[in-house]
Amino acid sequence: MSRILTGIQSSGRPHLGNILGAIKPAIDLSKHPDNESFLFIADLHSLTTIKDGPTRREFTKAVAATWLAFGLDTTKNTFWRQSRVSEHTELCWYLSCFTPIPMLNNATSFKEKSDRATGAVNTGLFVYPVLQAADILLYDAEIIPVGKDQRQHIEMTRDIASTFNRQYDEEIFILPEAQIDDRLMTIPGIDGAKMSKSYNNYIDIFLPENELWKVIKKIKSDSTPLEDPKNPDTDITFQLYSLLASDEQKDELRRLYEGGNYGYGMAKKALYELIIAQFATERERFNYYTIENPDALEAELQAGEEKARAVASKTMTRVREKLGFC
């Protein structure tokens, strides 16, 4: 059996890119009978960018509701809020004492985020990889599904764990392996760049229908006249539609593009209707957990946190023993 760990930041409501690129693949992995999945909401990590408490609470609820809306089995798997298991921050401190500063200085993501920062860069952003290492090592995770941009962080986790293990000449921590699915394409945002909350170019599939339609209408398109044929392969709306549609639906929309007398507004309407139809059940479940019965959401999280704590405490017992804290 493989133990798999995935964390999603609560820095905003999950958008279509998060769902297709991370949440659905993680849930698919969790359904395999040979896998044991640990899936958590990385609300501590969100503190590097979000300082407002009520905003974080709302985003955390939205992230949790999304996982449940898409069918995560919380009986088979472990699902929790990172901040509710204090062992994450405790282990982060211990690991930071085994992490050389040059390693953190060389983190590509830190350099990129520092370059984009409009104000002072906080220390949390700098030590982010150490907390991420604690998240992984705390649960003896073996496989970490990540995008290519996170490969370096998994390598850093392995380096930190190896340093700790060598210090005590014992395998205190399991060395995790990154699992990168090269088949997953970058999900384009409404402006054509990678869909991201940072770029404000995302599609929130849980918006009320009229608000969702307003977002879909903003998708960037060229100025090809209505009557002229259009190239579907260069159009953002068609790219997004293709990620969700069946082969037959894609072929039909391609035929309409190439045949002329079919406007981009019509294609956007088709995308909107496809999203509403395809995610009808998930939208209903999301509203159930966030609006109709938030107590059910809280109960799921608290149950998961008990399970997570039970595993984390065992890891910390052996770590504290080696460090002389027990």
Side-chain angles (χ1 to χ4, degrees), residues 124-247:
L125 194 61
F126 183 66
V127 299
Y128 185 106
V130 185
L131 179 56
Q132 189 175 53
D135 299 333
I136 295 168
L137 301 177
L138 193 57
Y139 298 97
D140 293 330
E142 299 164 298
I143 298 174
I144 317 298
V146 292
K148 293 178 181 178
D149 58 338
Q150 286 288 312
R151 184 196 296 270
Q152 185 189 38
H153 281 186
I154 308 307
E155 293 172 351
M156 293 167 73
T157 296
R158 290 174 58 86
D159 289 343
I160 294 168
S162 296
T163 299
F164 196 102
N165 289 349
R166 284 195 302 271
Q167 175 69 36
Y168 299 100
D169 194 26
E170 187 177 339
E171 189 177 307
I172 309 298
F173 294 121
I174 291 174
L175 303 188
E177 296 285 348
Q179 178 176 290
I180 299 171
D181 190 344
D182 293 324
R183 295 171 302 174
L184 293 177
M185 65 173 290
T186 299
I187 311 300
I190 60 175
D191 60 354
K194 178 182 177 181
M195 188 175 292
S196 169
K197 290 183 284 285
S198 300
Y199 303 149
N200 194 31
N201 66 350
Y202 60 90
I203 296 174
D204 180 347
I205 68 164
F206 299 118
L207 288 172
E209 292 186 8
N210 61 331
E211 293 182 31
L212 177 60
W213 173 234
K214 289 178 182 178
V215 173
I216 298 295
K217 287 195 294 185
K218 293 179 181 178
I219 295 175
K220 186 178 180 181
S221 56
D222 62 34
S223 57
T224 304
L226 171 67
E227 61 273 12
D228 290 356
K230 298 165 185 64
N231 183 356
D233 297 322
T234 60
D235 182 59
I236 301 168
T237 301
F238 184 84
Q239 291 171 23
L240 289 167
Y241 186 91
S242 297
L243 292 172
L244 304 174
S246 65
D247 289 341

